[in-house]
Amino acid sequence: MVKKRQILVIGNNTNGCTPEHEKIAYDIGVEIAKSDSVLITGGLGGIMTAASRGAKDTDGLTVGIIPQDDASEANEYCDIVIPTGMGFTRDFLNALSADGVIIVGGGSGTLSEVCASYMSKKPMVAIRNLNGSVEQYIDGYLDHRENVKIVGVDNAQEAVTKIIELISA
């Protein structure tokens, strides 16, 4: 049996998540399911719920790695819930569980996951023009180490196609 690709989708939680963010995240979830990859999220609201719903609507497999210690805190579209009880530290588990990362907007929590992914040299793509915390780093690097470039894309289909290409490289 071959291991399935695991793609982490990160971005705005319920606070700050716009209808545009939700639509893009939903479409990313659909495309991840169509690619026969596993969707990983932080398992909560906003981008995480929208991406998970898109994957579920397309018969995909979803995993939510939540900061709480109670699995019932996860959104209803998570097939597998990993309650960590670790708070923000769970961002590192999210990054390390992924083969690649797709970024949709986001604030400081998203930036924390991006930093964890960057230090672990995980391939990353980010949707352009969403005014998220990583906007200034798109098509560049977080720092002088140049661990991994954050590749800019314009839509959900391009995001999933590009992350699969980067994971396979």
Side-chain angles (χ1 to χ4, degrees):
M1 185 169 127
V2 176
K3 176 189 156 313
K4 288 189 174 214
R5 262 185 315 270
Q6 297 177 180
I7 301 174
L8 174 65
V9 177
I10 60 177
N12 295 87
N13 199 337
T14 305
N15 186 16
C17 188
T18 68
E20 178 187 16
H21 292 131
E22 286 181 351
K23 170 74 168 109
I24 292 167
Y26 179 89
D27 291 345
I28 288 169
V30 167
E31 294 298 323
I32 288 172
K34 284 181 181 178
S35 76
D36 197 31
S37 300
V38 176
L39 171 71
I40 299 174
T41 71
L44 300 176
I47 295 300
M48 298 169 275
T49 297
S52 297
R53 186 169 48 86
K56 289 307 304 166
D57 285 353
T58 317
D59 297 321
L61 179 62
T62 63
V63 177
I65 304 173
I66 64 172
Q68 298 89 347
D69 60 4
D70 180 358
S72 70
E73 298 281 336
N75 73 60
E76 63 190 284
Y77 303 103
C78 294
D79 292 312
I80 298 166
V81 177
I82 302 170
T84 67
M86 300 173 70
F88 298 124
T89 308
R90 78 79 154 83
D91 294 352
F92 285 83
L93 291 178
N94 291 357
L96 291 170
S97 297
D99 297 313
V101 181
I102 298 175
I103 308 158
V104 183
S108 60
T110 302
L111 189 56
S112 172
E113 288 173 297
V114 168
C115 289
S117 301
Y118 184 81
M119 290 184 292
S120 300
K121 299 181 180 177
K122 299 291 181 165
M124 289 186 275
V125 301
I127 305 291
R128 291 185 184 100
N129 302 314
L130 294 180
N131 299 318
S133 57
V134 300
E135 192 75 33
Q136 66 184 329
Y137 303 109
I138 293 177
D139 293 320
Y141 302 93
L142 287 181
D143 67 15
H144 64 281
R145 286 176 278 221
E146 298 187 359
N147 284 346
V148 61
K149 184 181 254 185
I150 299 173
V151 178
V153 294
D154 296 313
N155 58 56
Q157 186 172 11
E158 188 181 347
V160 175
T161 299
K162 188 63 175 178
I163 201 64
I164 290 171
E165 176 186 310
L166 293 170
I167 290 168
S168 302

